[in-house]
Amino acid sequence: MQSDAIALGFLSSSLAISIFINYFLTNNHPIKWIWFLVSSLLIMFVIACYQGLFFVPIVTFLAYLYSIYTQNKTTLKDFLINILKFSSLIISGVLLYYISIKTIFPIQSQGNFGIYTSGDSSNLFTNFIEVLWRNLKGTFYYG
């Protein structure tokens, strides 16, 4: 499962940066803000897949900026403006992630301590024993 999440995170990170560069930075039409939203949704997906992948789009975009800056294709002013635009993309992606966590997928439990102290018989220890027993019997689902 984690290898799939990492692969999807890298793919959507690359796609988000590609959309941001090709359709937002180089486009002057009002429709470019739709591409900005699409790119920020992809950044949100990257963070949702695996929070450790948060730095992948940042490093990818900084490598792109460094490559065009060292080839003298841009000035320092444009370089800094692009960094500010990209920072707004990252901030909007993080905000969308935070909104989705708080509204769409709210956390129902207060944590493991609440499970143990609530008197509920399905605590983590008994769940572990039950899963271990099903694995030993061979009746547990293997995916």
Side-chain angles (χ1 to χ4, degrees):
M1 289 278 294
Q2 191 172 13
S3 63
D4 296 338
I6 299 290
L8 284 174
F10 272 94
L11 177 68
S12 58
S13 174
S14 301
L15 189 60
I17 297 302
S18 176
I19 288 172
F20 180 73
I21 291 170
N22 293 328
Y23 295 108
F24 183 74
L25 290 181
T26 59
N27 197 350
N28 290 327
H29 296 290
I31 199 166
K32 75 178 186 176
W33 292 103
I34 294 173
W35 291 112
F36 181 83
L37 179 65
V38 168
S39 186
S40 62
L41 286 172
L42 285 169
I43 296 291
M44 179 194 73
F45 181 72
V46 168
I47 298 169
C49 274
Y50 196 72
Q51 286 82 17
L53 294 177
F54 173 72
F55 294 106
V56 172
I58 296 171
V59 170
T60 305
F61 188 73
L62 288 177
Y64 165 75
L65 279 182
Y66 178 74
S67 70
I68 64 168
Y69 185 71
T70 56
Q71 295 174 3
N72 295 327
K73 292 184 180 179
T74 185
T75 62
L76 181 62
K77 178 183 174 185
D78 291 335
F79 182 79
L80 294 175
I81 289 172
N82 286 337
I83 286 179
L84 289 175
K85 287 178 181 178
F86 183 71
S87 298
S88 66
L89 173 75
I90 293 295
I91 290 169
S92 67
V94 168
L95 286 175
L96 286 172
Y97 174 71
Y98 183 75
I99 290 168
S100 71
I101 291 297
K102 292 295 182 185
T103 59
I104 299 172
F105 303 108
I107 297 173
Q108 301 295 330
S109 174
Q110 296 298 325
N112 293 336
F113 185 72
I115 293 171
Y116 284 117
T117 58
S118 68
D120 188 12
S121 64
S122 63
N123 63 26
L124 292 178
F125 183 72
T126 57
N127 285 341
F128 170 74
I129 298 297
E130 183 179 327
V131 168
L132 179 66
W133 181 247
R134 282 205 237 146
N135 277 327
L136 291 174
K137 287 191 333 186
T139 60
F140 195 69
Y141 170 73
Y142 293 96

